[in-house]
Amino acid sequence: MHLPQQQLGLRIGTMVTEFTATARAHSNIAFIKYWGNRDSGIRLPANSSLSMNLAALHSTTRVTWSEALAEDRLMINEEPAAPAAFLRVRAHLDTLRAELGSTLRADVSSNNNFPMGAGIASSASAFAALTVAATAALGMGLSARELSALARRGSGSAARSIPAGFVEWRAGSADKESYAESIASPDYWPLEDVIAVISRDHKHVGSTAGHAAADTSILQRVRVETAADRLERAKHAILARDFEGLAPVVEEDSNLMHAVMMTSKPSLFYWLPKSLRIMLAVQEWRRQGVKVCYTLDAGPNVHCICGAEDAAAVAARLKELDSDIEVIRSSVGGGAQLLNASDRSD
Amino acid sequence: MHLPQQQLGLRIGTMVTEFTATARAHSNIAFIKYWGNRDSGIRLPANSSLSMNLAALHSTTRVTWSEALAEDRLMINEEPAAPAAFLRVRAHLDTLRAELGSTLRADVSSNNNFPMGAGIASSASAFAALTVAATAALGMGLSARELSALARRGSGSAARSIPAGFVEWRAGSADKESYAESIASPDYWPLEDVIAVISRDHKHVGSTAGHAAADTSILQRVRVETAADRLERAKHAILARDFEGLAPVVEEDSNLMHAVMMTSKPSLFYWLPKSLRIMLAVQEWRRQGVKVCYTLDAGPNVHCICGAEDAAAVAARLKELDSDIEVIRSSVGGGAQLLNASDRSD
């Protein structure tokens, strides 16, 4: 290999060790929401949550640990990351280094196939893919539970993007106990998420700040205290493939999270007028017999959870409601996966 | 007096006794909401509430108790009342008859100068005026407290339309203890309610049914438990004429009531997309320094509570936001008043 003298720098005459791996993880949509932490330092959540992975939305992340790097580097969607994103990823790399006993720096390149910061959890898929790639590159044979718990440290909901299909994240009361597991495979029940994308703007208050504000709402305690009951109802409905059982609890849980947000101090409104218009329309469509219910994350986009047989009709009705609404459809997604791994010396 | 024979009917040769009075009462807008009852039979509320009377919105009600009537009669805005309204008024007349020891039937004519059932409490002003007129016609010299407690039996928030200005309704734990009193006169603080009327449609779920649903929300208990604290904060802000202190607690309390509504089973959404648009705009205007905050009752209209000096600007901004929005402005109103009374035998 011939490199111009100046590019070799300090590496002249040394062996440069690099470890690379690439992983892909899907986004997920929560039916029972994660909002607020009992320990924000390690993202130990206030309550257990339940979600469905989204096949159509994923992050693909390549991590190269290298002796040649003096500091971590991060590219997102082929561009150098903004400082806030870089600092959050570096903090997660610090967590991984501490866990894995490594001092190497990493070159990270992550690509999402969907807009970031618009209420579709890019951090979930990104931190899940990052965690899988980063640990695989170092040849650590971690279990799915260990990966889920580690991914959680980077972004809480990333814990749920490790297992496949329908996923339960048990809150736990200690770092290693707080991980997600699959309750049903992607093909167990053909649901679809028909996402009404209302805004691609970056949300005004990010999830991390929002989680920190959760306890300023007088409603957070009762939301947390009753979450286990809703989770059991939702889980039971999924396992029974009972859409009529699932719909009201999914909408109630979404409304509860947004009620907490709106009554936080200061109040956080993630709904836009168009979000509410779609929510009211979805309720009306369900009264008309369409298998559909809504749920919203920390953003204005409305996730219309449908029976697969009704997904095309729901997408068409959304367009009819407002032709400006961009619609993304997704079936149930699999778990995080390693795309390739190599370690090399050169 | 000469009447054709057939019109005299059974009254031939008898003395017909009639007692008539007319009263006027104002609507009110709650800063701390009444939602849910601890005893729905006598409308004993779950929590104390706080409101401001609205000078521009009133009901004028004439009651004639007459021996000549075989049953009660009700005209609203010069038309025979719909059955639901008639039954509710007759039930209140039954309450008054029992309290006053009378068996006479009443001819009631009530006129509102504002749309009914659009989230502007027509029942509050109507039942307050009805109670004052009905008792005055019989010459009962009831105290303001007694009138407030009686009006409450017809419509909870009517209790608050008896006293003047800024009004506190203490929940109490028994019928006679649950009445409203003025905490400050109408001229104590020149606030205005700039009402964005979004819909004149009759609301899909009336307040009485909504109150009954309150306990089906897991949020109602904490809303009720913490209402006294918010009431104290709002009262303190009013007495100190402190708009910056009043605004966040008024919006929080409105958001809490609507959170309870949305999470009732089945869920009740009174907000429309346009309501939310105005709420978000109001928050933005306040950040820009305008003295304004929002509150919504059981309907889509947005009450923009303003410092009087900012009311014209708020009205103009609402029109700018959407020229279809009808704007009603109201200063702080007085208490219920008797317009005239007479008793006669003919």
Side-chain angles (χ1 to χ4, degrees):
Chain A
M1 186 186 246
H2 293 279
L3 289 169
Q5 190 72 14
Q6 68 271 26
Q7 284 200 13
L8 290 171
L10 291 172
R11 288 191 278 163
I12 295 169
T14 68
M15 296 280 282
V16 176
T17 308
E18 293 191 339
F19 308 93
T20 294
T22 301
R24 174 170 293 172
H26 298 283
S27 180
N28 68 74
I29 178 67
F31 296 161
I32 303 298
K33 303 296 190 187
Y34 155 52
W35 194 247
N37 292 307
R38 63 186 276 183
D39 182 338
S40 60
I42 59 169
R43 297 183 200 271
L44 209 56
N47 61 280
S48 298
S49 55
L50 192 74
S51 60
M52 160 179 132
N53 282 348
L54 299 176
L57 305 173
H58 52 73
S59 300
T60 307
T61 303
R62 192 193 70 233
V63 176
T64 301
W65 299 101
S66 171
E67 287 184 335
L69 290 168
E71 53 184 46
D72 296 321
R73 295 200 297 208
L74 174 63
M75 300 283 283
I76 297 180
N77 294 339
E78 315 298 340
E79 289 181 14
F86 174 74
L87 292 173
R88 187 165 171 191
V89 164
R90 191 177 66 181
H92 191 54
L93 292 169
D94 286 341
T95 299
L96 296 176
R97 276 185 281 261
E99 287 288 329
L100 305 173
S102 166
T103 56
L104 294 176
R105 301 290 143 180
D107 185 351
V108 177
S109 173
S110 190
N111 292 288
N112 303 312
N113 70 336
F114 59 100
M116 291 192 303
I120 303 174
S122 59
S123 65
S125 53
F127 280 93
L130 171 62
T131 302
V132 171
T135 56
L138 291 178
M140 313 295 286
L142 298 183
S143 69
R145 288 183 181 186
E146 289 169 318
L147 287 170
S148 176
L150 268 181
R152 189 201 78 235
R153 304 276 296 273
S155 171
S157 54
R160 297 191 309 245
S161 283
I162 298 290
F166 299 90
V167 171
E168 177 180 357
W169 169 17
R170 291 181 196 86
S173 53
D175 180 25
K176 306 295 183 198
E177 292 168 16
S178 187
Y179 53 82
E181 287 190 312
S182 179
I183 62 161
S185 63
D187 58 359
Y188 182 82
W189 192 16
L191 294 185
E192 271 200 37
D193 183 3
V194 178
I195 310 170
V197 179
I198 285 172
S199 167
R200 283 178 173 265
D201 289 348
H202 203 83
K203 55 198 171 192
H204 56 298
V205 177
S207 298
T208 301
H211 282 290
D215 287 329
T216 68
S217 165
I218 60 165
L219 304 183
Q220 170 70 351
R221 212 181 82 181
V222 64
R223 190 195 69 80
V224 167
E225 282 171 357
T226 54
D229 170 62
R230 287 189 301 283
L231 193 149
E232 280 312 307
R233 282 193 282 149
K235 188 172 168 178
H236 186 268
I238 289 168
L239 295 178
R241 300 184 185 91
D242 169 17
F243 198 88
E244 285 67 30
L246 184 65
V249 68
V250 167
E251 291 188 354
E252 181 187 9
D253 197 81
S254 176
N255 292 342
L256 284 169
M257 180 177 73
H258 286 269
V260 167
M261 292 162 162
M262 289 174 198
T263 54
S264 291
K265 296 175 181 82
S267 74
L268 294 174
F269 274 79
Y270 289 98
W271 293 353
L272 290 176
K274 217 176 260 190
S275 316
L276 182 55
R277 189 166 161 215
I278 296 170
M279 292 160 64
L280 296 173
V282 163
Q283 291 188 326
E284 177 58 30
W285 298 341
R286 192 159 76 254
R287 279 190 289 269
Q288 294 168 7
V290 182
K291 278 190 185 170
V292 60
C293 65
Y294 66 76
T295 186
L296 289 88
D297 281 343
N301 299 333
V302 183
H303 295 255
C304 302
I305 308 299
C306 311
E309 66 277 25
D310 284 343
V314 167
R317 283 175 186 235
L318 286 169
K319 280 291 191 188
E320 217 171 280
L321 203 64
D322 184 339
S323 58
D324 284 347
I325 297 171
E326 185 186 348
V327 174
I328 298 174
R329 287 176 57 176
S330 179
S331 55
V332 189
Q337 56 181 142
L338 198 59
L339 297 186
N340 62 61
S342 68
D343 58 284
R344 59 195 170 98
S345 290
D346 61 359
Chain B
M1 187 186 242
H2 293 279
L3 288 169
Q5 188 73 13
Q6 67 271 26
Q7 284 198 12
L8 289 172
L10 290 173
R11 287 192 279 166
I12 294 169
T14 67
M15 295 281 280
V16 176
T17 308
E18 291 192 340
F19 308 94
T20 294
T22 301
R24 174 171 292 171
H26 298 282
S27 179
N28 68 72
I29 178 67
F31 295 159
I32 302 299
K33 304 295 190 188
Y34 156 52
W35 194 246
N37 292 308
R38 64 185 276 182
D39 182 339
S40 59
I42 58 168
R43 298 184 199 271
L44 209 56
N47 61 280
S48 299
S49 55
L50 191 74
S51 60
M52 160 180 133
N53 282 349
L54 299 176
L57 305 173
H58 52 73
S59 300
T60 306
T61 303
R62 193 192 70 235
V63 177
T64 301
W65 298 102
S66 170
E67 286 185 334
L69 290 168
E71 52 186 47
D72 297 320
R73 293 200 298 209
L74 175 63
M75 300 282 282
I76 297 179
N77 295 338
E78 315 296 341
E79 290 181 15
F86 173 74
L87 292 172
R88 187 166 171 190
V89 163
R90 193 177 65 180
H92 191 54
L93 292 169
D94 286 341
T95 299
L96 296 176
R97 276 185 281 263
E99 287 288 329
L100 306 174
S102 166
T103 56
L104 296 175
R105 300 290 143 182
D107 185 351
V108 177
S109 173
S110 191
N111 292 288
N112 304 313
N113 70 337
F114 59 99
M116 290 193 303
I120 302 175
S122 58
S123 65
S125 52
F127 280 93
L130 172 62
T131 302
V132 171
T135 56
L138 291 179
M140 313 295 287
L142 299 183
S143 69
R145 286 183 182 185
E146 289 169 318
L147 288 169
S148 175
L150 268 180
R152 188 201 79 235
R153 304 275 296 273
S155 171
S157 55
R160 296 192 308 245
S161 283
I162 299 291
F166 299 90
V167 171
E168 177 180 357
W169 169 18
R170 290 180 197 86
S173 53
D175 180 25
K176 306 294 182 200
E177 294 168 15
S178 187
Y179 54 82
E181 287 190 312
S182 178
I183 62 160
S185 64
D187 58 0
Y188 183 81
W189 191 16
L191 293 185
E192 271 201 35
D193 183 4
V194 178
I195 310 171
V197 180
I198 284 171
S199 167
R200 281 177 175 268
D201 289 349
H202 204 84
K203 56 198 170 191
H204 57 296
V205 177
S207 298
T208 300
H211 282 290
D215 286 329
T216 67
S217 165
I218 60 165
L219 304 184
Q220 170 71 350
R221 210 180 83 180
V222 64
R223 191 196 68 81
V224 167
E225 283 171 356
T226 54
D229 170 61
R230 286 188 302 281
L231 193 149
E232 281 310 308
R233 281 193 282 150
K235 189 172 168 179
H236 185 268
I238 289 169
L239 295 178
R241 301 184 184 90
D242 169 16
F243 198 89
E244 285 66 31
L246 184 65
V249 69
V250 167
E251 291 188 354
E252 181 187 8
D253 197 81
S254 175
N255 292 341
L256 284 169
M257 180 177 74
H258 286 270
V260 167
M261 293 163 163
M262 290 175 197
T263 55
S264 291
K265 295 173 183 84
S267 75
L268 294 173
F269 274 80
Y270 288 99
W271 294 353
L272 289 178
K274 218 177 260 192
S275 317
L276 182 55
R277 190 165 161 217
I278 296 170
M279 293 160 65
L280 297 174
V282 164
Q283 293 189 326
E284 177 58 30
W285 298 341
R286 191 159 76 256
R287 279 190 288 270
Q288 294 168 7
V290 182
K291 276 188 185 172
V292 60
C293 65
Y294 67 75
T295 186
L296 289 88
D297 280 343
N301 299 334
V302 183
H303 294 255
C304 303
I305 309 299
C306 311
E309 67 277 24
D310 284 343
V314 167
R317 282 175 188 236
L318 286 169
K319 280 291 190 188
E320 216 171 280
L321 203 64
D322 185 338
S323 58
D324 284 347
I325 297 171
E326 186 186 348
V327 173
I328 298 175
R329 286 175 59 176
S330 179
S331 55
V332 189
Q337 56 182 142
L338 198 58
L339 296 186
N340 61 62
S342 68
D343 59 283
R344 58 195 172 97
S345 291
D346 59 1

